[in-house]
Amino acid sequence: MEDYLFRTYVQECRVVEEETKYVEIFNYSDPFHNSCEEHPLTPDEFENFLHRRGAFAPPDLRLGTTLLSGIRLVVQTDAKDKDTFTPRVLSLPKESYEQMVRVFRLPFRGIETTSVVGPFFWTSYDHDDADPHLPLPADILHRKSDVRKRGRTRGWEMMLSHSFSTRITTGFVKGTPSSDIVAALKHLRACAAQVGHPMLLPTIILAHDLSPANDQKQRDARDWLRRLENAVSMRDEVEVEEQYFQNGELVVDGLNRDLVECHSNVLWKRPQAYMALTEEMEKAMGLFKDMHEVTAKRMAAASAADDGRWGGEAAAATEKQNRELDRLHRSMLARMDFYKVKLTGLENYIHTTLQRLKVQREAGAQLYNIMSQREARLNLEIAGEQRRIAHASKRDSTAMKTISLLGTLFLPGTFLASVFSMTFFNFQSNADPVISDKIWVFFLLTIPITAAIVGIWIWYDKRKEAQYARDDEDVEKDITRMEHDIMRNIRQRTMSKAHTWNTISPPPR
């Protein structure tokens, strides 16, 4: 069943290309043969690396020298494809990926974790008595495949398998540039003598993931919360230069956005998920401890038989290696206990921060409602004043309409009376001629003067229109400034209380 599911899931995946390297660390009873290497792995050498052929073949050892521990990894530390951590995506060719899983005896279920989100850890061990294994499929798979940041997926994954007969850990490790894989592998090389424990690399990854930077982010969020509390409820717990709004103006929209952003920062790396992860890692360590004790006794007996011929050097080195592994095992268990206590305290700290954020968001909502009510009342007052102005303008326009109507009625008669009363017309009974032959003088003077007056009026009107446009811009600016001043005064009056505590008892520190 497992084999069929594995082949089915592999065929459903699509492939992206990533730069591939390998890491090999070996420890021998003779330190002269110890090695620690990291080099690019080309496609033509991939199969040789898996089967330890050609350049990757084991070295020729002198008689009596045995392999104490080792680790062999296919690594992709700089996964850059934007879909590299998208569900059903492989960063190795399908044939190479399937061959790697089978040769390294990695867990088939690893292919099913391409859609896993958040920190993930699962462990089991192979019941093959001939070659017992402790496989670590998708060991601490910490990815956010359902979230893209700037169009790219982020995360890292690790599959490991430890052989108790060869004492070699094999696996596959991949991570994006934003992950801690590069730093973790550097840490692993620095601890080359301890690679005999298969939980070493997962513990290193966890140590980087729960570094003090995580605690510092929560402290920064709490500091941000204190300044937000000062802005919302005037809680007097920050210095003057640390106040949220230095100019004394409260922008509610910006405050709400920052409350949401602060809430998001607090929810970063929730301790509950890592608490469950440390418990799974402790269980994996217990499985390794039980299997290691059984195989160590069996291998010690075989080594003692061989050392009877070669001076006992290998047996002594193996015994020393077992003591180192036991010391490392206890140290990692203590680290798991340390992380659980640390995460418990961090969870309590985060819970308090979230509760205080909830209070401030509710207070901010009430503050916004109060300000909205005052703004609505101000708008009603402005609307009433505008209505009164509109009524006054209507009365003025009615009066002007009456005057215009009267002017329209009497203007034609007045104009005709003025024209016919001029000396150019003589309607006496004996007048001859009735119309003077000098009437052209009237038109000669009237038409140019009328044209000049109309021209002057057009020029003056355009000038006034330009002035009116500038005045309208100034009025708009004044209205905006007045509205800004009114809103600031409303907000300052809303937040006029010095602090939320009464004057009898000081606020707690």
Side-chain angles (χ1 to χ4, degrees):
M1 182 186 73
E2 296 291 339
D3 186 85
Y4 175 79
L5 287 175
F6 173 69
R7 287 185 284 108
T8 302
Y9 285 127
V10 170
Q11 293 304 316
E12 291 177 353
C13 292
R14 63 185 180 91
V15 177
V16 298
E17 294 184 1
E18 298 289 0
E19 181 181 353
T20 305
K21 298 185 291 185
Y22 75 90
V23 172
E24 272 192 337
I25 301 175
F26 291 110
N27 297 308
Y28 295 89
S29 57
D30 184 359
F32 175 78
H33 298 284
N34 291 353
S35 63
C36 181
E37 299 180 357
E38 179 179 351
H39 300 290
L41 183 60
T42 58
D44 57 318
E45 291 288 345
F46 190 83
E47 186 174 352
N48 290 334
F49 174 75
L50 295 181
H51 294 279
R52 301 190 72 182
R53 296 193 302 242
F56 305 101
D60 295 330
L61 305 176
R62 72 179 180 86
L63 296 177
T65 302
T66 60
L67 177 66
L68 298 179
S69 61
I71 187 169
R72 306 180 67 239
L73 301 173
V74 176
V75 298
Q76 294 175 341
T77 58
D78 193 18
K80 295 181 179 179
D81 192 279
K82 62 184 182 65
D83 295 326
T84 190
F85 279 100
T86 302
R88 297 183 179 180
V89 170
L90 298 177
S91 54
L92 288 171
K94 294 181 181 180
E95 297 78 8
S96 300
Y97 181 84
E98 185 173 352
Q99 186 180 23
M100 176 188 68
V101 172
R102 295 185 183 279
V103 174
F104 279 0
R105 300 192 66 175
L106 301 177
F108 287 166
R109 297 182 183 93
I111 192 67
E112 302 178 40
T113 62
T114 57
S115 59
V116 169
V117 294
F120 173 83
F121 186 94
W122 173 80
T123 184
S124 177
Y125 67 93
D126 193 343
H127 293 277
D128 184 1
D129 295 332
D131 186 12
H133 274 65
L134 177 68
L136 306 176
D139 188 32
I140 318 178
L141 242 179
H142 184 203
R143 65 167 75 203
K144 294 183 179 179
S145 57
D146 60 336
V147 174
R148 291 176 180 267
K149 184 175 183 180
R150 297 179 181 176
R152 295 181 177 273
T153 56
R154 300 169 294 161
W156 53 271
E157 65 176 337
M158 175 168 46
M159 292 191 297
L160 299 177
S161 179
H162 179 77
S163 172
F164 286 91
S165 60
T166 62
R167 289 168 288 190
I168 295 178
T169 301
T170 53
F172 172 69
V173 178
K174 181 176 75 170
T176 57
S178 61
S179 66
D180 297 318
I181 291 298
V182 174
L185 291 178
K186 181 180 178 181
H187 193 162
L188 179 69
R189 292 193 298 270
C191 304
Q194 299 174 328
V195 296
H197 201 302
M199 291 297 296
L200 176 63
L201 184 55
T203 304
I204 290 175
I205 288 289
L206 181 64
H208 284 274
D209 215 14
L210 296 180
S211 65
N214 186 31
D215 302 335
Q216 184 61 44
K217 190 161 186 174
Q218 296 299 331
R219 294 174 65 90
D220 293 341
R222 179 66 69 88
D223 181 68
W224 194 0
L225 171 61
R226 289 185 183 276
R227 292 188 290 118
L228 289 169
E229 288 176 334
N230 175 261
V232 175
S233 57
M234 301 301 291
R235 190 172 184 178
D236 189 15
E237 291 189 357
V238 296
E239 299 295 335
V240 176
E241 62 274 8
E242 296 178 345
Q243 290 182 355
Y244 198 73
F245 300 108
Q246 294 293 328
N247 57 2
E249 180 180 352
L250 180 64
V251 181
V252 178
D253 294 336
L255 185 64
N256 286 334
R257 287 194 299 269
D258 288 341
L259 282 169
V260 173
E261 183 65 23
C262 184
H263 196 127
S264 300
N265 287 344
V266 174
L267 294 178
W268 187 65
K269 289 188 178 181
R270 291 301 300 273
Q272 296 97 324
Y274 286 93
M275 182 69 74
L277 186 143
T278 55
E279 292 175 355
E280 289 296 322
M281 292 183 68
E282 282 186 329
K283 185 173 70 173
M285 290 181 185
L287 291 174
F288 167 76
K289 180 68 173 177
D290 296 338
M291 294 297 297
H292 177 72
E293 290 178 350
V294 174
T295 56
K297 293 178 180 179
R298 184 175 60 187
M299 297 180 68
S303 178
D306 292 338
D307 282 348
R309 293 174 295 176
W310 309 110
E313 295 180 4
T318 301
E319 181 63 24
K320 180 179 178 182
Q321 175 76 6
N322 290 336
R323 289 196 301 269
E324 291 294 331
L325 282 180
D326 186 63
R327 185 182 300 110
L328 176 63
H329 186 84
R330 294 195 304 271
S331 175
M332 290 194 296
L333 284 177
R335 179 164 289 274
M336 293 299 113
D337 290 335
F338 167 74
Y339 284 144
K340 288 197 293 185
V341 174
K342 178 181 177 182
L343 290 169
T344 300
L346 189 61
E347 173 58 24
N348 295 332
Y349 189 83
I350 290 176
H351 177 74
T352 302
T353 303
L354 290 176
Q355 290 299 110
R356 290 170 62 174
L357 272 171
K358 180 181 178 181
V359 171
Q360 296 308 312
R361 294 185 69 175
E362 292 175 351
Q366 294 176 359
L367 174 64
Y368 187 82
N369 292 335
I370 293 173
M371 294 173 58
S372 297
Q373 292 174 4
R374 294 192 175 185
E375 291 175 8
R377 186 174 63 183
L378 177 62
N379 291 333
L380 287 174
E381 294 176 358
I382 294 175
E385 187 65 27
Q386 290 176 343
R387 184 178 181 183
R388 289 190 290 270
I389 294 174
H391 280 292
S393 298
K394 183 177 180 180
R395 291 194 297 268
D396 294 341
S397 63
T398 302
M400 293 302 297
K401 182 179 180 180
T402 303
I403 295 173
S404 300
L405 179 61
L406 293 175
T408 303
L409 292 176
F410 289 102
L411 184 61
T414 304
F415 172 73
L416 293 175
S418 299
V419 171
F420 287 114
S421 65
M422 292 187 299
T423 57
F424 295 106
F425 298 93
N426 188 359
F427 294 102
Q428 298 296 326
S429 58
N430 56 353
D432 185 28
V434 176
I435 300 175
S436 175
D437 57 354
K438 302 294 185 181
I439 194 172
W440 60 269
V441 176
F442 171 74
F443 294 103
L444 179 65
L445 296 177
T446 300
I447 293 175
I449 292 175
T450 301
I453 292 174
V454 171
I456 293 173
W457 176 82
I458 293 174
W459 170 80
Y460 181 77
D461 184 68
K462 290 183 178 180
R463 184 177 179 184
K464 292 299 293 182
E465 287 294 333
Q467 181 64 38
Y468 292 153
R470 291 192 294 270
D471 292 343
D472 289 342
E473 292 178 359
D474 294 338
V475 169
E476 289 295 332
K477 292 179 181 179
D478 292 340
I479 291 175
T480 302
R481 189 181 304 108
M482 180 180 65
E483 181 182 5
H484 184 271
D485 293 341
I486 291 173
M487 299 309 299
R488 181 176 59 183
N489 290 333
I490 290 176
R491 289 164 182 166
Q492 287 179 346
R493 288 171 58 189
T494 306
M495 301 296 295
S496 60
K497 192 174 181 180
H499 50 67
T500 57
W501 307 97
N502 57 45
T503 56
I504 299 177
S505 58
R509 298 291 181 182

mmCIF file of all heavy atoms in Angstrom, residues 27-30 33-34 61-69 167 303 306-307 310 313-315 317-318:
data_model
loop_
_atom_site.group_PDB
_atom_site.id
_atom_site.type_symbol
_atom_site.label_atom_id
_atom_site.label_comp_id
_atom_site.label_asym_id
_atom_site.label_seq_id
_atom_site.Cartn_x
_atom_site.Cartn_y
_atom_site.Cartn_z
ATOM 1 N N ASN A 27 32.936 10.031 10.916
ATOM 2 C CA ASN A 27 33.835 9.915 12.068
ATOM 3 C C ASN A 27 34.286 8.461 12.193
ATOM 4 O O ASN A 27 33.448 7.538 12.200
ATOM 5 C CB ASN A 27 33.125 10.353 13.358
ATOM 6 C CG ASN A 27 32.713 11.818 13.325
ATOM 7 O OD1 ASN A 27 33.532 12.690 13.052
ATOM 8 N ND2 ASN A 27 31.438 12.081 13.586
ATOM 9 N N TYR A 28 35.597 8.266 12.287
ATOM 10 C CA TYR A 28 36.180 6.917 12.364
ATOM 11 C C TYR A 28 36.898 6.747 13.698
ATOM 12 O O TYR A 28 37.212 7.738 14.398
ATOM 13 C CB TYR A 28 37.156 6.687 11.218
ATOM 14 C CG TYR A 28 36.490 6.680 9.853
ATOM 15 C CD1 TYR A 28 36.345 7.859 9.138
ATOM 16 C CD2 TYR A 28 36.024 5.499 9.291
ATOM 17 C CE1 TYR A 28 35.742 7.864 7.888
ATOM 18 C CE2 TYR A 28 35.421 5.494 8.038
ATOM 19 C CZ TYR A 28 35.286 6.677 7.341
ATOM 20 O OH TYR A 28 34.691 6.675 6.106
ATOM 21 N N SER A 29 37.165 5.493 13.990
ATOM 22 C CA SER A 29 37.933 5.219 15.213
ATOM 23 C C SER A 29 39.339 5.793 15.103
ATOM 24 O O SER A 29 39.963 6.118 16.128
ATOM 25 C CB SER A 29 37.988 3.708 15.472
ATOM 26 O OG SER A 29 38.560 3.033 14.341
ATOM 27 N N ASP A 30 39.862 5.925 13.891
ATOM 28 C CA ASP A 30 41.126 6.612 13.637
ATOM 29 C C ASP A 30 40.796 8.006 13.106
ATOM 30 O O ASP A 30 40.324 8.161 11.970
ATOM 31 C CB ASP A 30 41.949 5.841 12.616
ATOM 32 C CG ASP A 30 43.330 6.478 12.391
ATOM 33 O OD1 ASP A 30 43.604 7.525 13.022
ATOM 34 O OD2 ASP A 30 44.102 5.931 11.587
ATOM 35 N N HIS A 33 41.039 9.575 9.331
ATOM 36 C CA HIS A 33 40.107 9.383 8.223
ATOM 37 C C HIS A 33 38.848 10.238 8.333
ATOM 38 O O HIS A 33 37.991 10.183 7.436
ATOM 39 C CB HIS A 33 39.704 7.904 8.145
ATOM 40 C CG HIS A 33 40.848 6.987 7.866
ATOM 41 N ND1 HIS A 33 41.425 6.853 6.620
ATOM 42 C CD2 HIS A 33 41.544 6.154 8.697
ATOM 43 C CE1 HIS A 33 42.404 5.979 6.674
ATOM 44 N NE2 HIS A 33 42.501 5.523 7.922
ATOM 45 N N ASN A 34 38.707 11.011 9.413
ATOM 46 C CA ASN A 34 37.509 11.845 9.572
ATOM 47 C C ASN A 34 37.386 12.831 8.407
ATOM 48 O O ASN A 34 38.379 13.367 7.910
ATOM 49 C CB ASN A 34 37.545 12.611 10.884
ATOM 50 C CG ASN A 34 37.389 11.698 12.086
ATOM 51 O OD1 ASN A 34 37.118 10.497 11.927
ATOM 52 N ND2 ASN A 34 37.571 12.238 13.281
ATOM 53 N N LEU A 61 40.551 1.829 4.599
ATOM 54 C CA LEU A 61 40.923 1.975 5.995
ATOM 55 C C LEU A 61 41.962 0.921 6.366
ATOM 56 O O LEU A 61 41.960 -0.199 5.848
ATOM 57 C CB LEU A 61 39.692 1.816 6.892
ATOM 58 C CG LEU A 61 38.492 2.737 6.578
ATOM 59 C CD1 LEU A 61 37.322 2.387 7.505
ATOM 60 C CD2 LEU A 61 38.882 4.199 6.739
ATOM 61 N N ARG A 62 42.808 1.305 7.280
ATOM 62 C CA ARG A 62 43.765 0.321 7.784
ATOM 63 C C ARG A 62 43.040 -0.674 8.667
ATOM 64 O O ARG A 62 41.959 -0.401 9.191
ATOM 65 C CB ARG A 62 44.891 1.016 8.541
ATOM 66 C CG ARG A 62 44.513 1.592 9.885
ATOM 67 C CD ARG A 62 45.719 2.224 10.559
ATOM 68 N NE ARG A 62 45.380 2.781 11.864
ATOM 69 C CZ ARG A 62 45.360 2.104 12.988
ATOM 70 N NH1 ARG A 62 45.627 0.798 12.969
ATOM 71 N NH2 ARG A 62 45.053 2.686 14.136
ATOM 72 N N LEU A 63 43.610 -1.813 8.839
ATOM 73 C CA LEU A 63 42.986 -2.863 9.627
ATOM 74 C C LEU A 63 42.746 -2.394 11.061
ATOM 75 O O LEU A 63 43.614 -1.775 11.686
ATOM 76 C CB LEU A 63 43.872 -4.108 9.614
ATOM 77 C CG LEU A 63 44.065 -4.774 8.238
ATOM 78 C CD1 LEU A 63 45.014 -5.955 8.342
ATOM 79 C CD2 LEU A 63 42.727 -5.208 7.667
ATOM 80 N N GLY A 64 41.577 -2.670 11.558
ATOM 81 C CA GLY A 64 41.232 -2.283 12.925
ATOM 82 C C GLY A 64 40.502 -0.961 13.016
ATOM 83 O O GLY A 64 40.015 -0.603 14.091
ATOM 84 N N THR A 65 40.391 -0.175 11.896
ATOM 85 C CA THR A 65 39.680 1.109 11.896
ATOM 86 C C THR A 65 38.233 0.872 11.496
ATOM 87 O O THR A 65 37.948 0.200 10.500
ATOM 88 C CB THR A 65 40.340 2.098 10.922
ATOM 89 O OG1 THR A 65 41.703 2.295 11.287
ATOM 90 C CG2 THR A 65 39.607 3.426 10.952
ATOM 91 N N THR A 66 37.312 1.410 12.274
ATOM 92 C CA THR A 66 35.880 1.238 12.000
ATOM 93 C C THR A 66 35.194 2.608 11.924
ATOM 94 O O THR A 66 35.678 3.610 12.470
ATOM 95 C CB THR A 66 35.205 0.406 13.101
ATOM 96 O OG1 THR A 66 35.368 1.085 14.367
ATOM 97 C CG2 THR A 66 35.801 -0.981 13.179
ATOM 98 N N LEU A 67 34.060 2.603 11.245
ATOM 99 C CA LEU A 67 33.242 3.809 11.149
ATOM 100 C C LEU A 67 32.409 3.956 12.422
ATOM 101 O O LEU A 67 31.678 3.056 12.813
ATOM 102 C CB LEU A 67 32.322 3.726 9.926
ATOM 103 C CG LEU A 67 31.343 4.893 9.739
ATOM 104 C CD1 LEU A 67 32.099 6.181 9.441
ATOM 105 C CD2 LEU A 67 30.357 4.583 8.625
ATOM 106 N N LEU A 68 32.533 5.117 13.072
ATOM 107 C CA LEU A 68 31.789 5.365 14.309
ATOM 108 C C LEU A 68 30.433 6.003 14.035
ATOM 109 O O LEU A 68 29.427 5.639 14.641
ATOM 110 C CB LEU A 68 32.609 6.264 15.237
ATOM 111 C CG LEU A 68 33.957 5.710 15.704
ATOM 112 C CD1 LEU A 68 34.659 6.726 16.583
ATOM 113 C CD2 LEU A 68 33.760 4.397 16.450
ATOM 114 N N SER A 69 30.394 6.974 13.141
ATOM 115 C CA SER A 69 29.126 7.671 12.845
ATOM 116 C C SER A 69 29.302 8.454 11.555
ATOM 117 O O SER A 69 30.428 8.718 11.102
ATOM 118 C CB SER A 69 28.725 8.623 13.984
ATOM 119 O OG SER A 69 29.723 9.622 14.171
ATOM 120 N N ARG A 167 25.316 3.018 11.422
ATOM 121 C CA ARG A 167 25.451 4.253 12.211
ATOM 122 C C ARG A 167 25.594 5.480 11.316
ATOM 123 O O ARG A 167 26.297 6.438 11.641
ATOM 124 C CB ARG A 167 26.630 4.153 13.175
ATOM 125 C CG ARG A 167 26.382 3.206 14.322
ATOM 126 C CD ARG A 167 27.623 2.893 15.105
ATOM 127 N NE ARG A 167 28.531 2.027 14.357
ATOM 128 C CZ ARG A 167 29.602 1.451 14.879
ATOM 129 N NH1 ARG A 167 29.897 1.639 16.160
ATOM 130 N NH2 ARG A 167 30.378 0.671 14.137
ATOM 131 N N SER A 303 32.359 -6.164 18.112
ATOM 132 C CA SER A 303 33.602 -5.387 18.059
ATOM 133 C C SER A 303 34.649 -5.962 18.991
ATOM 134 O O SER A 303 35.841 -5.979 18.680
ATOM 135 C CB SER A 303 33.306 -3.926 18.426
ATOM 136 O OG SER A 303 34.492 -3.167 18.421
ATOM 137 N N ASP A 306 36.369 -8.828 17.286
ATOM 138 C CA ASP A 306 37.335 -8.390 16.276
ATOM 139 C C ASP A 306 38.556 -7.751 16.917
ATOM 140 O O ASP A 306 39.689 -7.911 16.454
ATOM 141 C CB ASP A 306 36.685 -7.388 15.317
ATOM 142 C CG ASP A 306 35.616 -8.060 14.456
ATOM 143 O OD1 ASP A 306 35.682 -9.296 14.307
ATOM 144 O OD2 ASP A 306 34.725 -7.323 13.956
ATOM 145 N N ASP A 307 38.371 -7.027 18.006
ATOM 146 C CA ASP A 307 39.483 -6.314 18.623
ATOM 147 C C ASP A 307 40.452 -7.258 19.309
ATOM 148 O O ASP A 307 41.561 -6.863 19.664
ATOM 149 C CB ASP A 307 38.961 -5.298 19.652
ATOM 150 C CG ASP A 307 38.437 -4.055 18.937
ATOM 151 O OD1 ASP A 307 38.697 -3.932 17.722
ATOM 152 O OD2 ASP A 307 37.775 -3.233 19.594
ATOM 153 N N TRP A 310 43.025 -6.981 16.819
ATOM 154 C CA TRP A 310 43.619 -5.693 16.417
ATOM 155 C C TRP A 310 43.908 -4.759 17.589
ATOM 156 O O TRP A 310 44.069 -3.560 17.388
ATOM 157 C CB TRP A 310 42.683 -4.992 15.443
ATOM 158 C CG TRP A 310 42.260 -5.862 14.292
ATOM 159 C CD1 TRP A 310 41.034 -6.367 14.067
ATOM 160 C CD2 TRP A 310 43.085 -6.341 13.251
ATOM 161 N NE1 TRP A 310 41.006 -7.131 12.953
ATOM 162 C CE2 TRP A 310 42.277 -7.136 12.413
ATOM 163 C CE3 TRP A 310 44.460 -6.211 12.936
ATOM 164 C CZ2 TRP A 310 42.756 -7.772 11.277
ATOM 165 C CZ3 TRP A 310 44.936 -6.832 11.812
ATOM 166 C CH2 TRP A 310 44.102 -7.607 10.984
ATOM 167 N N GLU A 313 41.500 -1.143 19.826
ATOM 168 C CA GLU A 313 41.343 0.291 19.565
ATOM 169 C C GLU A 313 39.918 0.622 19.119
ATOM 170 O O GLU A 313 39.327 1.611 19.551
ATOM 171 C CB GLU A 313 42.343 0.745 18.511
ATOM 172 C CG GLU A 313 43.797 0.633 18.951
ATOM 173 C CD GLU A 313 44.745 1.107 17.869
ATOM 174 O OE1 GLU A 313 44.243 1.581 16.812
ATOM 175 O OE2 GLU A 313 45.967 1.035 18.081
ATOM 176 N N ALA A 314 39.366 -0.204 18.235
ATOM 177 C CA ALA A 314 38.016 0.066 17.747
ATOM 178 C C ALA A 314 36.988 -0.029 18.871
ATOM 179 O O ALA A 314 36.059 0.786 18.955
ATOM 180 C CB ALA A 314 37.665 -0.904 16.622
ATOM 181 N N ALA A 315 37.127 -1.015 19.729
ATOM 182 C CA ALA A 315 36.178 -1.158 20.842
ATOM 183 C C ALA A 315 36.249 0.038 21.772
ATOM 184 O O ALA A 315 35.220 0.536 22.247
ATOM 185 C CB ALA A 315 36.466 -2.444 21.602
ATOM 186 N N ALA A 317 37.207 3.094 20.956
ATOM 187 C CA ALA A 317 36.626 4.242 20.265
ATOM 188 C C ALA A 317 35.107 4.153 20.234
ATOM 189 O O ALA A 317 34.401 5.160 20.401
ATOM 190 C CB ALA A 317 37.187 4.331 18.846
ATOM 191 N N THR A 318 34.578 2.943 20.039
ATOM 192 C CA THR A 318 33.126 2.770 20.017
ATOM 193 C C THR A 318 32.522 3.060 21.377
ATOM 194 O O THR A 318 31.468 3.701 21.488
ATOM 195 C CB THR A 318 32.780 1.333 19.587
ATOM 196 O OG1 THR A 318 33.335 1.081 18.292
ATOM 197 C CG2 THR A 318 31.272 1.140 19.543
#
